[in-house]
Structure formats: C-alpha cells, structure tokens
Amino acid sequence: MKYLGKKIITLIMTLFLVSAAAFLAFQIIPGDVVTSILGTEATPEREQQLREELGLDNPPIVRYFNWVAGVLKGDLGVSYRYSKNMNEMMPVAELIGDKLPVTLWLAAAAFVLIALISIPLGVFWAKCASVPKRGSACLSGFLDAALGVATQAAMAVPSFFLGILVTFLFGIVLRLFAPGGYVGYKEDFWSFLGYLLFPALSIAIPKIAMTARFLRNSMLTELRADYVRTAYSKGCTGRRVLYGHVLRNAMMPVVTFLGMIVAEVVAGSIVIEQVFGLPGIGRLLISSISTRDFPVVEILILYITFVVIFVYFIVDILYRVIDPRVSEK
Amino acid sequence: MIRIENLSVAFGRTEVVKHVSLDLRDGEILGVVGESGSGKSVTALTLMGLVSDSARMTSGRILFDDVVLREAGKPLDRALYRSYQGAKMSMVFQEPQTSLNPTQRVGRQVEEVLRLHGTLTKEERKKKVLETFLAVGLKDAERVYASYPHQLSGGMRQRAMIAMAVILHPRLIVADEPTTALDVTIQNQIMALLRGINQKQNNAMLFITHDLNLARRICHRVAVMKDGHVVELGTAEEIFERPGEEYTRRLVEAVPSRMKRISDAESDRKTGSESPVLEVRGLSVYYQEGGNSLFSAQRKRRAVEGADFAVYPGESLGLVGESGCGKTSLSKAILGMNRRIEGEIIHHSVRPQMVFQDPYSSLNPAKTIGWLLQEPLRAAGALDRSLAMTKGDMEAAAYDMLRRVGMGEEYFHRRPSELSGGQRQRISIGQALISGPGFLIADEPVSALDVTIQAQIMELMRRLQREMNLACLFISHDINVVYKMCDRIMIMKDGRIIEIGKTEEVFENPREEYTKLLLKEG
C-alpha cells in the first residue's frame, strides 16, 4: 500500500513537470497562434482582440496556472483551431474523446498480437537454437538461422512501407479487408475491429520480431544457468526444464521490454494511422503542433505521459509477481 | 558398484579427460583432487550425464551395478539416465546461490525430485521433504519449505541442495566443491553433514575438490588429476604421506599449512620502532541502507566498530574473518571510498593501492597489458601536473614493472584474455605498485587461484614487499594463507577487531574463543 502511494505521488509530480516543460517549450519555440489563425494580413486590432479572447494577453505564468486549475476542475480547455460551430470553439475533451478510443483499440489489438505471437515464437526459436548443431539436428539449425534472417528483415522494414505491404497483401491480393474502408467504432464495432486488425498487424510485426529475438536470447542465457543443471540432475526432461524452470526466469527482461513497447504503441502510431486513414490521436497531435494549438497539445502530452508511467507501473507489479527477489529490496 | 572405465571426453578436438578409470564401492568416499582445468569436474558431469552437449565421449564406458549407463560411440540414452538421476545418483554443486532456481520456492524444488520419481501423493511428498529438511539440519523446516532461495543463508541453501540430493537415498552422491563458496565455519558443518549422510545411508560419494586439506580429512581414497589424466590413485594416507608422483608431491607441498611460512626471520621486525604508514584510531564505518528513492528513509548501519590499529613499513598485516564481518568495509574506508566514518584514519604515505580478488573482472579486457600498467601513472599525471611523466618514461616504468612481477617483455602488447589467472593477478599487483605506494591493500588476492599458483603469487608479494619496503594489509578468509603470508594478524568478527597480534602468538595462544574456532576449522 505504501508502495502504491509512492507511485501515485511520483505520477502526479511527473505530470506536473512534463506539463510545465511542454508549456515552456511552447513559449520558446517560434511561431504565434494568432498569426497562424489570422494569417499575416490581419489588422493589429483584430490580432489584439483574438489574443484577449484566447486569454493570451496574460503573462505565461498566470496562463499556466489558469490552465492547471482548469484541468484539475475537469475543464480541459478549448481548441484554438477547431470550432464546434460558428460561434464556439471545440472543447479539447470532445475533440480527443472522439479519437482516443481509436488509438487505444489499435494499441490493444497490436499488443494482443505481439504477446500472442512473439512469446510462443521466441520459445520455439530458443528450442531450435539450443539443440546442438550436429547429426539429425539439421532442421532446427536451419530454422534457427531462418528465423534470424526473417526477424532481422521484419525489424528493418520502415513502418510506412510495412503498412503499404500489409494493405497490398491482405487488402488487394487476399481481399480480407477493404483498404480505406474505415468504419467508426460507434457505427459497427466488429467491422471496426476487423479493419483495425491490419494496421495493428503492421505495428506488431517489427515488435514481434524484436520480442521473439529478445526472448530467444534471454532463454538461451538462462539455459546456461546453474539451476538448469540442477534440474537435469534431478531427472527432469528437457521439456520440463524449459517450461518449468527456464521460461519464468527468461520472461523477466522480456516483460520490461514489452512494457516499453506498450508505452510506445499506446502513445500513438502516427505513421500507421496515416497510412490506414485512422482518425486517431497521432494525426491530431501532428496537426496541433504545426498549428500551435496549444490546449490540444498539452492534453495529448499529459495523456501520453500518463500512459507511459501507468504502463511502467503495471510492469513493476508484474515484475514483483514473477521475481520474488524484487519486492524485498 | 560404479565403474568408470577408460573414459575420455573431448570438446571439439581437445581432449579434457584422458583414459580415466575410477571405481567406487558402497559407503566409500573417493576424492578427486586437482587444479582447475584438470578435468575433474568434466569427469563428474559425464558420470552424471550432465556434461554439455558440445562434449563428446571418445572412449570408455560408465557402469552402474553392471548396467552400462553410457558407452563411447553410442548416443546418450537420456531416458535411461533420467531414471537414475535424482533417484540412484545425485549431485551437490558448488554454488548453492545459483544452483537453485531463484523464482521457485525451495520446498517445491526439493519436492520435484519426488514428483519425478515415485508415486507419492502431494501430502506425502510434503511430509517427506519436511522430514528430510530436519535430517539435514534445517530446523525451521516449514519456513524453509515456503522460502525462496534468496531468503536463505548460503549454508541453508547448501543444506537444501543436499536435502534435494539425498531425499531418495541414492546409491551415489557426486559432490563438486560443495563447500568452496561457503564460510569456513559453515564449511565444516556441511562436510560433517555429508559425512554423516554417507555413514548413515551407506552411499558412495565422489568428492571433487581443489582443497587438499579437506580431501585428506574426509576421503577414504584419493585420485589426483592433472591435464585430464589420473596421475595417482591411492588411500588418503598414501597420497598425502607418501606421494609417489612428482606432481602429487608438489601439490601437497603447495598447500598452505601451519608447517611452512614464507615470512622468515628477517621479517620479524621490531614493529613500533619505525613510524607507521597507516594509523587507524577508534574507527567506525557506516553504510546506508535504502535511500535509493525520494521517499524511503535512510538507515545507517554500522559495519565496523571501534577499530584501532597501525600498519608499519614492510610488514604484512593479515585481516581474517568470515564474509559479512566488515573486512571489506574497513578496507574501503581506508581507501577513502566510504566517507561515512567516525574516528581517524591517518595516512603517512601516499594513498594505498588495491589488489582485488578476481583478476578476471578487474582488468579492462579491451586494453593491452602495457596500457593497463601505465594507467595509474597517467591518472596521477592528470590529477597533479607535477607528477606527469613523458610517454617514454611511463613505458620504461611499465617494462620495469613487468619484469618485477616476473613476466617477460613480450606480454607488454598482449591483452588480459591471453593471460592465465595467475598472470593476470601479477599484472594487477604490478598496476597497484607502479605508482610506488608505500602501502598496499590486498583483498583476497589469491582466493580465486589454484594452490600452486597461490603459492607463486604469495612468494611474489613477499619478494616485492622486501624489495620495496612495502606495507601490506592482507585480507583473507583463509587462515592458512594468512599464516603463510603475514607478520601480524587481526581477527575480525561482527565488525569488531577481536584479536590482534604477532602471527605465531595468535596461532599458538589464541585468546578468543572465536579465534580458536577459526584455527581449529581452517
């Protein structure tokens, strides 16, 4: 419980620091939201008027704390750029609320694919690699090498190209989905998920390769550990040693690695969203930065920070579950 | 009952075990002694069917009660071996720390043997594990059962390993250096336990060790191995009293024992007349626990309490104690690596230099020997311009030091990986001495080395001490090594120096009970 309290305090402090840093960055980088909205031709009076409307005439420190107070009250502010109708600007909450689920579902689908494929693949690969390379073990030696090449290739392909490849293969050749036929999650959830599978696959492929490779190496290291010899000396079969003793120990570094991947995926896969035409937060983030839509960017940064810290928190807990040595330090 | 006939094992093209024949009877303890690389461990692992897959049996066979377990030229019958492993033959390993699975409870790991062999129910298995724990001296059996390995002490872990090995009363127990990783006082308890099991269960025991004193005490017969061959095989008495082979004689002589000392009459210097190089007065050393995060409270723990001593030029002062007694904390404080201290440390010479235990990890593998030897000079020059030397001078000093530590000039351009353990330790010593300190701290400098190499390194240190009038604080857990090396000796226990005096006086008339215990067991 004490541990949980500490973690929550750390989370809050980090969110403060990151939001302040983002705010500061917006003060420093060149570019003015007013010019970017009105263009360079506007009269100084009009500019001044807009500045007051947006609250930009206050000193930065006041603006920052106004913003923090707003967020704490649940008011995420309004966008500088997107309008709801003729008279009102779009509230950030509404703007993001629409796009966040898309990104989250995409991340979840990608992660499920990564976990379901990479772990069995890594174990299988480690099995191939640990067989001594002589006599009848020819096949496993070949598989080991082949997987090495395949994963290397999967990691090296840039994600936009992988997206195009997946679209081409599954969309155009195999006709498993209609490229560009995105269905909103509110309209038909299952069609939405069916469409999401392919961008998720594009995200997952390089990560699967990395994770499988990582698990393989981790398992091979563990297989050389002394306790493995002890297990054999008791009369364990190779299978029992692998699943009963080695796997859990080998998973420890892999869990950390998976955590890093989740954090990365949840923060938005901008390129993939673009390639598959998904209205997620990745696209929103890019356009908001280029138009100096500060309220939107601040909230997105807060969200990403929160997700990353939260995922690491989960990883920490998982670590304690897997390795009894951790919790006692 | 066990016969190893004409066994040869090769890794690739190199044979590491050559035509070894051994046999064991029920109830007999056969010791296999030899230095590292002599093939003793590979022999044992081959017998147990645990040698790695890259090893090949090139000749001979292994018989267990006339059943051929393994024969050269035939593939290993894993299923046959599995029915023997754990049930009829079992093994106790050197490192109880790493030999247990860190993420499984100890009870479950021991119980696995029962699950693999036999048909007991869950409750019966647990009952039997608890009984065995009690039998191997783990009194708090229930707690041990539910503990993870890291929650137990080294001695308890080794007892758990032994419980795992004996739970099914195997006919053969192979013990590979079972006490090397443990403290002296624990060592003896574990040996007594193994001995007791051997007598009670009447199993044969193959006992592998590099410690000849130990082999002599517990083995009925002893085989001496060198370069893969058994050079001599006989009763323990024959081997140690009347060694037939030259190599055995050398091995027996190299063992540090109370009989032989290097520190000669000349070293019986009148301590006190000269001014010391180091004075320590009322020194307590603390270290902090926790405090890694912003929130956890920092606790101070006292590692050394009220230490008072001085080190004089040219003398070796031995510091003896078990792990955790504060030896290393004390040396770190003297080196200035820990500043949480009370009391006084007064250096009357240049900062002392340090020689570490493990010559494998303490030399940067990416650099040449010459570079490594010059590094302290470069560092000194960078800190203080007046000490800076020219490149030529530094190289000359490095060559000179190579010669002094007994190594040829050709090593100047080699890298640590091309050197043996003993050679590396020579380089470590050279590195410590090149800046010409008057005072050296050596933390277990020979513990990682084979006996014959140990003797050479100790000779070297003694010689350098004489030549350079060097004071040395010699830290060791091995009381025999200290006896051989040191003029004076300090005994440390639980952070306190409980006894200090001339080596002979302490050995002949120990005042403290603990010292007597150490002397008896060492």
Side-chain angles (χ1 to χ4, degrees):
Chain A
M1 240 33 246
K2 203 176 138 204
Y3 168 76
L4 196 68
K6 277 186 201 172
K7 281 281 164 190
I8 289 170
I9 295 173
T10 315
L11 174 70
I12 291 169
M13 275 166 52
T14 315
L15 287 177
F16 252 106
L17 284 175
V18 170
S19 68
F23 189 85
L24 194 69
F26 256 74
Q27 303 304 312
I28 294 167
I29 51 172
D32 180 10
V33 61
V34 174
T35 346
S36 112
I37 293 173
L38 297 175
T40 46
E41 303 293 303
T43 60
E45 291 75 36
R46 177 74 190 101
E47 282 189 7
Q48 187 55 34
Q49 191 197 347
L50 186 63
R51 227 174 268 284
E52 274 165 31
E53 271 173 36
L54 297 176
L56 291 174
D57 51 342
N58 292 321
I61 188 90
V62 173
R63 274 188 282 145
Y64 177 66
F65 280 105
N66 280 344
W67 176 81
V68 170
V71 170
L72 288 180
K73 277 183 281 181
D75 171 17
L76 303 186
V78 291
S79 164
Y80 289 167
R81 294 292 301 183
Y82 294 89
S83 45
K84 199 173 180 181
N85 48 49
M86 287 304 283
N87 313 318
E88 256 182 293
M89 297 308 275
M90 184 78 139
V92 176
E94 264 177 58
L95 193 63
I96 293 176
D98 234 19
K99 304 186 186 315
L100 203 52
V102 177
T103 298
L104 283 178
W105 277 110
L106 177 64
F111 180 71
V112 168
L113 285 176
I114 294 168
L116 283 186
I117 300 176
S118 69
I119 292 171
L121 184 66
V123 172
F124 173 74
W125 191 0
K127 260 199 268 186
C128 292
S130 63
V131 175
K133 308 224 170 1
R134 83 175 107 87
S136 60
C138 221
L139 178 67
S140 45
F142 169 75
L143 282 173
D144 181 27
L147 279 168
V149 173
T151 51
Q152 195 88 62
M155 287 190 291
V157 177
S159 54
F160 77 91
F161 186 63
L162 203 59
I164 294 170
L165 225 58
V166 167
T167 309
F168 178 74
L169 186 67
F170 293 100
I172 295 173
V173 178
L174 297 174
R175 296 191 174 281
L176 290 176
F177 77 114
Y182 169 73
V183 185
Y185 60 97
K186 281 176 191 152
E187 294 152 40
D188 178 354
F189 184 74
W190 291 110
S191 321
F192 163 73
L193 215 55
Y195 184 79
L196 218 54
L197 196 62
F198 299 95
L201 191 64
S202 312
I203 297 173
I205 285 172
K207 315 286 183 205
I208 288 170
M210 285 180 212
T211 315
R213 192 169 263 269
F214 205 64
L215 180 58
R216 167 201 186 255
N217 294 342
S218 177
M219 286 193 86
L220 289 184
T221 310
E222 288 296 328
L223 275 169
R224 282 193 293 269
D226 285 350
Y227 68 82
V228 170
R229 202 176 49 186
T230 307
Y232 277 118
S233 84
K234 289 190 268 192
C236 284
T237 58
R239 210 184 147 72
R240 197 183 171 95
V241 169
L242 203 63
Y243 293 104
H245 290 274
V246 170
L247 186 58
R248 182 165 166 181
N249 288 293
M251 275 307 285
M252 284 188 269
V254 177
V255 165
T256 311
F257 190 68
L258 280 175
M260 283 159 65
I261 286 179
V262 173
E264 197 185 316
V265 171
V266 174
S269 308
I270 294 154
V271 176
I272 294 297
E273 283 182 8
Q274 204 76 37
V275 170
F276 287 88
L278 294 172
I281 60 159
R283 267 162 100 182
L284 182 64
L285 182 61
I286 296 252
S287 66
S288 304
I289 290 176
S290 58
T291 56
R292 317 271 164 234
D293 196 348
F294 171 71
V296 176
V297 176
E298 257 302 25
I299 294 298
L300 286 179
I301 287 176
L302 272 194
Y303 156 72
I304 292 170
T305 312
F306 175 79
V307 165
V308 170
I309 295 175
F310 183 72
V311 168
Y312 283 166
F313 171 65
I314 300 286
V315 167
D316 233 28
I317 289 177
L318 269 181
Y319 229 89
R320 277 153 199 268
V321 173
I322 296 178
D323 188 350
R325 286 166 297 185
V326 176
S327 48
E328 272 160 58
K329 278 199 184 131
Chain B
M1 147 221 163
I2 287 277
R3 279 211 316 279
I4 298 175
E5 291 175 356
N6 192 32
L7 175 74
S8 301
V9 181
F11 287 92
R13 292 259 168 77
T14 26
E15 282 202 330
V16 291
V17 174
K18 296 162 191 159
H19 308 288
V20 166
S21 296
L22 294 170
D23 60 285
L24 264 142
R25 286 181 289 274
D26 283 317
E28 181 186 40
I29 303 180
L30 172 66
V32 179
V33 299
E35 304 188 65
S36 46
S38 62
K40 55 189 195 304
S41 279
V42 176
T43 306
L45 289 172
T46 310
L47 168 63
M48 283 295 298
L50 295 174
V51 72
S52 80
D53 289 318
S54 51
R56 229 160 11 98
M57 212 166 133
T58 47
S59 80
R61 54 182 194 160
I62 296 169
L63 290 101
F64 192 112
D65 277 342
D66 300 323
V67 179
V68 180
L69 281 182
R70 205 169 174 181
E71 203 168 354
K74 286 189 190 158
L76 172 65
D77 184 349
R78 287 182 196 278
L80 174 71
Y81 248 107
R82 274 201 295 275
S83 65
Y84 279 78
Q85 285 164 337
K88 292 178 185 140
M89 55 204 272
S90 65
M91 188 150 178
V92 179
F93 298 95
Q94 175 171 357
E95 279 282 351
Q97 166 91 46
T98 54
S99 295
L100 288 165
N101 184 342
T103 58
Q104 244 180 44
R105 291 179 201 277
V106 173
R108 193 177 142 177
Q109 295 188 50
V110 176
E111 200 192 299
E112 190 173 25
V113 184
L114 300 178
R115 240 178 308 159
L116 290 162
H117 309 274
T119 52
L120 295 179
T121 65
K122 206 173 164 208
E123 289 73 35
E124 287 169 332
R125 288 201 302 258
K126 178 164 183 186
K127 194 163 155 267
K128 185 148 186 199
V129 171
L130 292 177
E131 281 168 13
T132 314
F133 277 163
L134 287 174
V136 298
L138 289 166
K139 291 187 194 69
D140 208 350
E142 283 277 1
R143 187 178 74 81
V144 174
Y145 188 90
S147 294
Y148 288 101
H150 72 277
Q151 294 166 324
L152 304 178
S153 70
M156 286 165 90
R157 281 194 284 255
Q158 195 60 300
R159 283 179 196 271
M161 285 296 291
I162 291 171
M164 192 187 287
V166 302
I167 193 162
L168 285 173
H169 298 249
R171 299 269 304 279
L172 169 71
I173 297 173
V174 178
D176 187 357
E177 307 262 11
T179 61
T180 311
L182 305 172
D183 274 327
V184 216
T185 45
I186 313 290
Q187 274 183 12
N188 276 51
Q189 295 168 13
I190 296 292
M191 282 325 300
L193 173 64
L194 283 172
R195 192 88 196 253
I197 288 165
N198 160 259
Q199 277 159 5
K200 207 160 26 181
Q201 300 188 354
N202 199 36
N203 23 32
M205 197 179 291
L206 188 70
F207 182 70
I208 295 163
T209 184
H210 71 281
D211 185 340
L212 278 79
N213 284 332
L214 202 57
R216 175 182 210 159
R217 264 186 292 159
I218 82 149
C219 298
H220 303 121
R221 285 189 307 148
V222 173
V224 181
M225 281 189 78
K226 179 178 189 269
D227 300 333
H229 290 286
V230 172
V231 291
E232 196 166 357
L233 176 64
T235 65
E237 207 196 314
E238 281 166 12
I239 295 284
F240 290 102
E241 302 300 332
R242 302 178 293 279
E245 292 290 320
E246 178 56 32
Y247 177 74
T248 313
R249 203 170 304 140
R250 268 200 290 140
L251 206 60
V252 172
E253 273 168 15
V255 176
S257 80
R258 311 278 158 75
M259 304 297 116
K260 308 174 295 265
R261 283 188 63 188
I262 312 180
S263 34
D264 29 38
E266 174 244 8
S267 74
D268 283 335
R269 53 186 64 249
K270 47 276 164 220
T271 44
S273 65
E274 277 177 281
S275 61
V277 290
L278 170 79
E279 281 178 84
V280 171
R281 291 193 201 133
L283 176 72
S284 293
V285 181
Y286 300 87
Y287 65 88
Q288 246 148 15
E289 272 185 341
N292 287 326
S293 122
L294 211 51
F295 305 100
S296 59
Q298 298 193 342
R299 282 179 302 263
K300 261 176 145 187
R301 256 202 58 184
R302 183 152 52 196
V304 177
E305 198 179 342
D308 266 304
F309 63 94
V311 184
Y312 295 92
E315 82 159 340
S316 279
L317 176 60
L319 176 56
V320 187
E322 301 190 4
S323 53
C325 75
K327 301 187 299 261
T328 305
S329 299
L330 180 60
S331 66
K332 277 191 176 163
I334 293 171
L335 284 165
M337 286 158 73
N338 183 353
R339 294 178 194 273
R340 285 182 214 95
I341 57 170
E342 279 167 18
E344 279 182 288
I345 301 172
I346 309 158
H347 291 281
H348 296 289
S349 77
V350 205
R351 260 288 137 79
Q353 290 291 318
M354 183 105 189
V355 175
F356 296 95
Q357 171 171 4
D358 188 355
Y360 286 88
S361 54
S362 53
L363 293 177
N364 184 341
K367 302 293 184 185
T368 65
I369 300 303
W371 190 95
L372 288 166
L373 283 173
Q374 290 169 50
E375 179 63 1
L377 299 176
R378 265 191 301 268
L383 277 177
D384 181 353
R385 272 302 167 84
S386 65
L387 292 175
M389 294 164 76
T390 65
K391 200 161 174 277
D393 282 349
M394 286 200 292
E395 273 185 19
Y399 275 116
D400 181 54
M401 190 46 77
L402 260 184
R403 197 178 40 75
R404 275 174 176 260
V405 297
M407 289 176 64
E409 291 189 352
E410 68 273 18
Y411 288 99
F412 191 86
H413 294 290
R414 303 229 179 128
R415 284 173 211 280
S417 59
E418 299 169 65
L419 269 53
S420 69
Q423 287 174 325
R424 284 181 218 215
Q425 202 56 305
R426 283 171 190 266
I427 299 301
S428 301
I429 292 169
Q431 234 184 353
L433 294 181
I434 195 153
S435 52
F439 180 30
L440 190 70
I441 297 179
D443 191 354
E444 306 264 8
V446 297
S447 307
L449 305 171
D450 279 325
V451 266
T452 49
I453 311 291
Q454 254 185 20
Q456 290 167 13
I457 296 289
M458 285 193 280
E459 293 280 0
L460 172 73
M461 289 185 69
R462 266 332 274 200
R463 179 167 61 75
L464 291 168
Q465 272 194 288
R466 268 199 308 275
E467 285 174 16
M468 306 170 85
N469 196 31
L470 184 71
C472 181
L473 180 65
F474 191 97
I475 301 168
S476 182
H477 69 280
D478 187 338
I479 199 144
N480 293 324
V481 166
V482 169
Y483 183 82
K484 197 168 167 185
M485 267 300 284
C486 296
D487 310 304
R488 288 193 304 143
I489 176 172
M490 287 196 289
I491 312 280
M492 222 172 154
K493 186 180 185 246
D494 300 334
R496 288 171 181 280
I497 294 174
I498 57 166
E499 187 152 5
I500 180 166
K502 285 221 168 99
T503 307
E504 292 89 348
E505 284 166 17
V506 172
F507 272 72
E508 275 153 34
N509 291 310
R511 277 184 290 118
E512 299 286 326
E513 271 314 305
Y514 181 72
T515 314
K516 283 177 196 156
L517 189 72
L518 273 183
L519 290 176
K520 198 178 90 207
E521 311 214 320

